[in-house]
């Protein structure tokens, strides 16, 4: 416990970012017990109400409670962010390790990854979703495919650097198999960098999901998500700014918390970065 507190005091951005992310995660899990109502319930008589004692964040064009929709919308954003970060990291590590250690595979794989990286994430995701239909699963798959090349390139670079180290040459000379060398000596040395990369991917995925939903290419409109809420309120944002302000605020907090967590972990992993800042 003392070591944990000492670590958090030394790297306050980890503490602040972690608290923001943890707070949003708890909010998403405990949504039914936070004074919310059915986020899809229509009430035309209460449409476009300003924030008040009954509707804390006001109501939208269909009379739905914006507060409830924002709270439940956190579930979509966090599920997409965490799922994409996990899947892209796992798949990217597997491909990157093989690519960095097998030369003929590397020549093929990296040309494919370069092709994917030449297309912006949001455009590639739109193209992939256009081939199917809007759903949370398809959004996760599309953004994951767009983010895998970044993990592959990171892992490949680390493998190319690590395999030239003396202890790797010693393991080869001792007769260790290629699989044992990769799993026991190379992979553990990529975990620190992958942790930071995963936080970056999580933030990008949350923002990409909101962007896709905002333009109608993400989760279905009936599903509350921060992007959908802002898309539905953009027609009246000049006279009813609360329709966009609250989901935008929570989206900003989520991205800020994840980025601060990633920056703090980067500084903790490489203390020289903290000294330069």
């Amino acid at each position: 416990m003392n070591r944990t507190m000492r670590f958090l005091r030394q790297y306050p951005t980890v503490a602040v970012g972690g608290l923001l992310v943890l707070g949003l995660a708890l909010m998403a899990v405990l949504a039914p017990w936070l004074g919310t109502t059915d986020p899809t319930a229509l009430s035309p008589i209460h449409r476009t109400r300003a924030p008040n004692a009954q509707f804390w964040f006001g109501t939208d064009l269909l009379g739905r409670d914006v507060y409830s929709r924002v709270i439940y919308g956190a579930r979509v954003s966090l599920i997409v962010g965490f799922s994409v970060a996990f899947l892209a990291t796992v798949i990217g590590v597997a491909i990157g390790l093989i690519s960095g250690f097998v030369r003929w595979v590397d020549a093929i794989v990296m040309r494919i990854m370069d092709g994917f990286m030449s297309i912006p994430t949001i455009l590639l995701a739109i193209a992939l979703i256009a081939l199917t239909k809007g759903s949370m699963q398809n959004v996760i798959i599309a953004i994951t495919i767009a983010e895998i090349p970044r993990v592959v390139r990171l892992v490949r670079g680390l493998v190319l650097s690590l395999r030239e180290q003396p202890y790797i040459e010693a393991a080869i000379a001792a007769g260790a198999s290629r699989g044992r060398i990769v799993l026991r000596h190379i992979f553990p040395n990529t975990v620190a960098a992958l942790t930071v990369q995963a936080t970056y991917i999580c933030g990008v995925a949350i923002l990409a999901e909101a962007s896709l939903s905002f333009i109608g290419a993400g989760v279905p409109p009936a599903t509350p998500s921060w992007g959908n809420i802002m898309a539905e309120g953009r027609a009246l944002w000049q006279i009813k700014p609360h329709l966009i302000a609250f989901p935008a605020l929570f989206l900003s907090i989520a991205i800020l918390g994840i980025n601060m967590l990633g920056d703090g972990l980067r500084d903790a992993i490489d203390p020289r970065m903290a000294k330069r800042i």
Side-chain angles (χ1 to χ4, degrees), residues 89-107:
T89 300
V90 171
I91 298 173
V93 166
I95 298 174
L97 288 174
I98 296 173
S99 178
F101 223 80
V102 183
R103 294 185 182 277
W104 69 268
V105 173
D106 181 54

Side-chain angles (χ1 to χ4, degrees), residues 38-263:
D38 183 356
T40 62
L42 306 181
S43 180
I45 195 174
H46 293 132
R47 61 194 301 268
T48 63
R49 293 286 180 87
N52 55 57
Q54 182 181 1
F55 303 105
W56 296 350
F57 291 178
T59 59
D60 63 10
L61 291 168
L62 300 176
R64 295 172 296 190
D65 182 19
V66 175
Y67 168 75
S68 299
R69 290 180 64 76
V70 168
I71 299 299
Y72 277 93
R75 292 184 171 185
V76 173
S77 295
L78 294 181
I79 289 174
V80 170
F82 293 154
S83 299
V84 171
F86 174 77
L87 293 174
T89 300
V90 171
I91 298 173
V93 166
I95 298 174
L97 288 174
I98 296 173
S99 178
F101 223 80
V102 183
R103 294 185 182 277
W104 69 268
V105 173
D106 181 54
I108 299 173
V109 169
M110 292 315 298
R111 299 298 74 76
I112 297 174
M113 296 299 111
D114 289 342
F116 278 116
M117 291 188 69
S118 66
I119 307 173
T121 298
I122 190 69
L123 294 181
L124 181 57
I126 291 173
L128 294 171
I129 290 176
L131 299 175
T132 55
K133 64 178 182 178
S135 69
M136 187 187 301
Q137 292 81 2
N138 290 338
V139 168
I140 291 173
I141 293 171
I143 301 175
T144 298
I145 292 174
E147 290 300 321
I148 285 175
R150 290 163 177 77
V151 180
V152 173
R153 182 168 287 278
L154 171 65
V155 175
R156 172 185 177 271
L158 292 172
V159 172
L160 291 177
S161 174
L162 291 170
R163 73 181 188 183
E164 304 299 329
Q165 298 297 317
Y167 66 89
I168 299 296
E169 296 179 356
I172 294 174
S177 66
R178 180 175 294 175
R180 182 178 177 84
I181 292 172
V182 169
L183 294 178
R184 179 155 187 175
H185 299 290
I186 292 182
F187 172 70
N189 288 292
T190 67
V191 172
L194 286 171
T195 301
V196 178
Q197 182 70 9
T199 60
Y200 167 77
I201 292 175
C202 182
V204 169
I206 290 175
L207 191 58
E209 182 279 321
S211 300
L212 290 170
S213 297
F214 187 81
I215 63 176
V219 298
T223 303
S225 77
W226 293 334
N228 281 342
I229 299 170
M230 289 188 286
E232 293 164 355
R234 61 186 167 184
L236 297 177
W237 73 272
Q238 290 180 314
I239 58 176
K240 300 289 183 179
H242 67 274
L243 296 177
I244 287 183
F246 290 112
L249 175 63
F250 278 80
L251 177 61
S252 300
I253 291 173
I255 301 300
L256 175 64
I258 292 171
N259 285 342
M260 290 184 68
L261 181 61
D263 288 344

